[in-house]
Amino acid sequence: MLFCEKCNFMTPENRCPLCGNKKVRTVCDADFCFFVNLGEFYFEMLESALKEKSIDVVGVPFYPNGVTYGTAGRASGRKVYIRYKDIEQVNEIYEALFGNDD
């Protein structure tokens, strides 16, 4: 699996599908990789479950519907990043909490 350092995105391709970056490298265990976009409430649930297992997680706020005067400073979405080494365990926890959408 390859890794784009600009987007923190894993891809099997030789180019990042998000930004087009051609300078992708092999992903390392310590890399924080994009996992999923979640609403704030669901992120807090996942974060709590991961912290119980001592798994590092980062939630970067974003505005799913853009920024307006009424929403400024209150981003309702979270881009969730986890370390590559934990991806299998996080997948199991995520499916246990939210089910599998497949």
Side-chain angles (χ1 to χ4, degrees):
M1 189 64 72
L2 299 174
F3 181 74
C4 175
E5 290 182 348
K6 289 182 181 181
C7 301
N8 287 56
F9 193 78
M10 293 183 306
T11 180
E13 302 170 18
N14 290 329
R15 172 184 282 216
C16 177
L18 299 180
C19 71
N21 182 16
K22 292 181 183 178
K23 294 182 181 179
V24 293
R25 61 169 173 78
T26 303
V27 67
C28 300
D29 282 347
D31 290 331
F32 271 99
C33 303
F34 174 77
F35 182 67
V36 69
N37 287 330
L38 290 175
E40 185 177 12
F41 175 76
Y42 297 108
F43 169 71
E44 289 174 6
M45 288 174 55
L46 180 63
E47 179 184 38
S48 176
L50 295 179
K51 285 187 175 185
E52 285 180 15
K53 301 285 186 180
S54 299
I55 296 174
D56 295 328
V57 60
V58 174
V60 178
F62 76 99
Y63 295 88
N65 300 318
V67 181
T68 65
Y69 182 74
T71 62
R74 294 182 292 263
S76 62
R78 298 291 183 269
K79 293 182 182 282
V80 181
Y81 296 88
I82 54 147
R83 293 201 187 273
Y84 179 70
K85 67 181 176 104
D86 299 320
I87 199 157
E88 288 181 27
Q89 194 174 6
V90 173
N91 271 327
E92 290 173 11
I93 293 168
Y94 180 84
E95 288 182 25
L97 286 174
F98 307 116
N100 190 354
D101 289 342
D102 290 349

